[in-house]
């Protein structure tokens, strides 16, 4: 009977330890769940600096388009002005040449 009693006692202690392990695991799981619920989500750490938020650089492209259009129109008007000036000078020279010829004929 002396051999059975320590075996029974050891078995009873093993069952008690098993129950305590299960209870310990449940308590540990509850504590971890509470910590997860209480934690605030942390934003990921960036390695670069964020400037002011801009929706899209649409305004910049509109300004470039407007400036390009104004430059193209002014270049076209300048070319027209040069052409008109060249025609006027040519007409003036032709009139002066014909007048000069008439003067030269009248003298002779």
């Amino acid at each position: 009977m002396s051999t059975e009693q320590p075996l029974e006692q050891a078995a009873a202690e093993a069952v008690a330890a098993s129950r305590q392990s299960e209870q310990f695991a449940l308590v540990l799981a509850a504590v971890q769940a509470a910590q997860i619920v209480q934690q605030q989500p942390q934003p990921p750490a960036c390695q670069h600096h964020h400037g002011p938020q801009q929706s899209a650089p649409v305004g910049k492209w509109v300004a470039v388009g407007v400036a390009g259009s104004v430059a193209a129109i002014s270049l076209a008007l300048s070319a027209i002005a040069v052409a008109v000036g060249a025609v006027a000078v040519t007409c003036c020279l032709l009139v002066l040449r014909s007048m000069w010829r008439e003067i030269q004929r009248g003298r002779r």
Side-chain angles (χ1 to χ4, degrees):
M1 202 163 169
S2 63
T3 56
E4 287 185 20
Q5 197 158 6
L7 280 175
E8 289 176 7
Q9 187 179 5
E13 288 176 2
V15 169
S18 173
R19 287 183 185 152
Q20 287 179 352
S21 295
E22 289 175 4
Q23 289 174 353
F24 178 73
L26 286 173
V27 169
L28 183 62
V31 169
Q32 288 176 347
Q35 287 176 348
I36 290 172
V37 169
Q38 288 179 355
Q39 284 181 347
Q40 297 280 335
Q42 298 290 331
C46 288
Q47 299 298 326
H48 59 279
H49 175 69
H50 289 282
Q53 295 289 332
Q54 296 179 353
S55 61
V58 174
K60 183 193 320 182
W61 290 110
V62 169
V64 168
V66 169
S69 299
V70 168
I73 290 171
S74 64
L75 184 64
L77 290 177
S78 298
I80 291 171
V82 168
V84 168
V87 168
V89 168
T90 303
C91 290
C92 184
L93 288 176
L94 288 174
V95 169
L96 286 175
R97 181 177 171 220
S98 68
M99 288 174 60
W100 180 256
R101 281 194 177 176
E102 284 185 28
I103 291 173
Q104 292 293 328
R105 283 185 197 160
R107 286 189 183 172
R108 291 187 192 175

